[in-house]
Amino acid sequence: LWDVVNKREVHRFHGAKNGTITALALAPDGGTLAFANTDPGNGNDDPDHAVRLWDLKASPPRQLPPLPGHANVIRGLCFAADSKTLAT
């Protein structure tokens, strides 16, 4: 996460140990970052296809519980204007 005015890194996110980020979305209110990747987060070699969430209002930002249950790779994420709904 970068402060573009001061051109400095604010936070480096960890949570996707392996794999490729396949989708990324920032909530309109700036409070939540969501991403999907191909990380086998379930302990075996199969991707878990979960959405990972970060609470950006916390200091430092903290990882929230993932949103599991997707059958395939997630290719798109989009928050609603109220920042309360996430489409995958």
Side-chain angles (χ1 to χ4, degrees), residues 1 10-13 54-63:
L1 186 63
V10 176
H11 186 77
R12 185 173 297 245
F13 295 93
W54 284 85
D55 177 0
L56 301 182
K57 293 178 183 174
S59 182
R62 66 181 177 93
Q63 191 169 13

Side-chain angles (χ1 to χ4, degrees), residues 9 15-17 23 26 34 37 46 48 53 55 59 61 72 74 78-80 83-84:
E9 186 178 275
K17 307 238 182 324
L26 179 63
N37 69 342
D46 297 322
D48 65 0
L53 300 171
D55 177 0
S59 182
N72 293 302
I74 300 161
C78 183
F79 279 96
S83 301
K84 296 179 180 179

